[in-house]
Amino acid sequence: MSGKTMGDGGIAIVGAGLVGIGWAIVFARAGLTVRVHDRDADRLTAVPDLMRRSLDDLHDAGLIDDPDAVIARVSCHADLGDAAGDVDYIQESVLERVEVKRELYERLDTVLADHTIVGSSSSGIPASAFTEGLGIAPRCLVAHPVNPPYLARIVEVVPAPWTLPETVEAVHALMHRVDQHPIRVNRELEGFVLNRLQGALLREAWALYDEGYCSLADLDATVSEGLGLRWSFMGPFETIDLNAPGGIADYAERLGGLYLSVARDRTDPQPWSADLIKRVEAERRQTLPAQDLGARGAWRDRRLMALAAHRRTQDV
C-alpha cells in the first residue's frame, strides 16, 4: 500500500446483519468504497433499504448531508472473492460462534490479497480462537464495536499473539480516519474490556433484582438518571477524580474500603437461573411488549443521534 492511505483500496463487510450494516455506514459515510457480502441472498438484498432507514434518520438529525452519496459508495456481492479479494480492509461481522468464524477465515485465507487486513466484530471470542495456523493470521485481529457503530464510536482493537504490530497500527489509524474512537487492548482476554466492564454492572444488577432490593425500572433509572449522565461524556476514572476534593487519591482513601467490602460480598457468582430470567422477562414485557422491541430500538437510535449531534457542539 505504498503511497496510499489505509482504506483507499476499498473496504469489505462480511456479514450483513445489524452490525455489518452499521459498519458499512461508518466506512461509506467517511467517503470510502464499501463492498458487502453475505451468504444469505435475502439479507444481502435487504442491505440498501436497511441502510436507507438509518441514513435518513442520520440526515434528519443533522449528522450527514447526503444519504444518496453514502449509499452510492456501497455495493453488494454474493461471491466472497468478488467482495474481499483485493480490498485494504475487511470488517468481519458473522455469527458469534468459533466454528462459523473459523470456516469463514479458512475461506478468506484462500482469496485475500497479501496486503489485506481483517478485523473481527467479535464481542468476546479472541482472534486466536479462529485464526491460528492460517497464512492471514498475522493480519487478523479483533475490532469490536458498540452497536450501532455509526453512533457509538468506541472500537476495541485486540491483537492475537501472532498479530503483527503494523497490523494493529494500520487498523488504529483506519478507525481514526473514519471517525471512530479506537482503544488498544494490549493482549487477549475473554470479553475484552467493554464487555468485562458491562458484565460487572450487569452481574450486580441481576443480583440486586434477584435479592429483591429493586425493580428493573428503578435499577435502569439508577443508570439512566444517575451514573449514565456522567458516563455519557467521561469514564470511571475521571468520574471519581472529580468526586473528591483532592482528586482520585483522595477518593480512593475515602471510599476504597467501601468498594472492597462490596467486592468481597460477591465472591460466589452464580449463573442467571431460569426462574430469574423468567421473572426479569415478565417484568420487562409488562413495560415493553415484545412487538414493540423494534420500535423502541429505533427510538434508542434516534436518542443516540440527538446526543451525537449535541456532542458535536461541545468541547469533549
Side-chain angles (χ1 to χ4, degrees):
M1 291 190 2
S2 175
K4 296 172 60 179
T5 302
M6 172 74 160
D8 287 349
I11 304 293
I13 307 296
V14 178
L18 291 177
V19 173
I21 290 171
W23 273 117
I25 291 173
V26 167
F27 292 113
R29 178 181 60 185
L32 302 182
T33 300
V34 179
R35 305 176 191 172
V36 179
H37 166 78
D38 198 289
R39 278 182 159 179
D40 186 324
D42 291 338
R43 184 176 296 169
L44 202 58
T45 300
V47 167
D49 287 341
L50 292 172
M51 285 188 65
R52 167 63 70 177
R53 294 175 201 169
S54 297
L55 290 169
D56 285 347
D57 284 342
L58 288 167
H59 179 263
D60 291 343
L63 295 173
I64 60 171
D65 295 326
D66 189 350
D68 291 334
V70 177
I71 288 181
R73 298 185 189 107
V74 179
S75 57
C76 295
H77 302 261
D79 182 79
L80 179 64
D82 288 345
D86 60 352
V87 296
D88 287 348
Y89 179 74
I90 297 170
Q91 186 71 43
E92 170 268 302
S93 300
V94 300
L95 191 64
E96 188 82 355
R97 284 169 43 188
V98 172
E99 64 273 19
V100 173
K101 291 185 182 295
R102 178 67 187 192
E103 189 273 339
L104 170 63
Y105 279 73
E106 288 176 350
R107 291 168 61 211
L108 289 173
D109 202 33
T110 67
V111 300
L112 295 192
D114 290 342
H115 68 275
T116 303
I117 290 173
V118 188
S120 175
S121 297
S122 171
S123 297
I125 304 172
S128 60
F130 48 83
T131 64
E132 184 172 7
L134 298 177
I136 60 172
R139 294 179 277 127
C140 296
L141 44 61
V142 165
H144 171 232
V146 176
N147 192 37
Y150 57 85
L151 294 174
R153 298 173 61 229
I154 202 74
V155 181
E156 298 182 281
V157 179
V158 192
W162 41 76
T163 303
L164 292 171
E166 49 264 43
T167 298
V168 177
E169 293 300 325
V171 174
H172 198 268
L174 175 64
M175 292 303 160
H176 274 301
R177 179 181 183 182
V178 297
D179 199 33
Q180 299 300 95
H181 190 114
I183 67 163
R184 297 174 188 265
V185 182
N186 294 326
R187 59 184 184 276
E188 292 183 334
L189 77 167
E190 186 179 12
F192 315 133
V193 170
L194 187 146
N195 277 323
R196 291 180 78 92
L197 290 172
Q198 180 171 237
L201 179 62
L202 280 173
R203 184 182 74 163
E204 187 63 25
W206 281 83
L208 289 169
Y209 177 79
D210 191 26
E211 293 161 1
Y213 288 108
C214 243
S215 68
L216 296 184
D218 284 347
L219 285 164
D220 276 352
T222 301
V223 176
S224 65
E225 301 293 336
L227 294 171
L229 293 178
R230 294 180 302 207
W231 288 350
S232 68
F233 57 87
M234 64 173 65
F237 287 110
E238 185 172 8
T239 295
I240 66 173
D241 197 29
L242 301 179
N243 274 2
I248 199 165
D250 186 20
Y251 186 95
E253 178 66 26
R254 292 168 183 258
L255 294 173
L258 168 65
Y259 287 116
L260 176 61
S261 179
V262 169
R264 285 174 171 167
D265 190 46
R266 299 293 184 200
T267 57
D268 185 27
Q270 297 296 316
W272 305 333
S273 69
D275 176 68
L276 173 59
I277 294 170
K278 183 178 179 179
R279 287 190 286 125
V280 168
E281 170 71 11
E283 192 165 326
R284 276 300 300 159
R285 295 293 70 83
Q286 288 179 354
T287 302
L288 181 68
Q291 64 267 26
D292 295 337
L293 283 166
R296 188 65 171 178
W299 167 87
R300 174 205 63 195
D301 289 353
R302 289 192 296 271
R303 292 294 296 270
L304 285 170
M305 290 175 196
L307 179 59
H310 169 70
R311 284 168 62 96
R312 284 189 174 186
T313 71
Q314 305 298 305
D315 183 19
V316 294

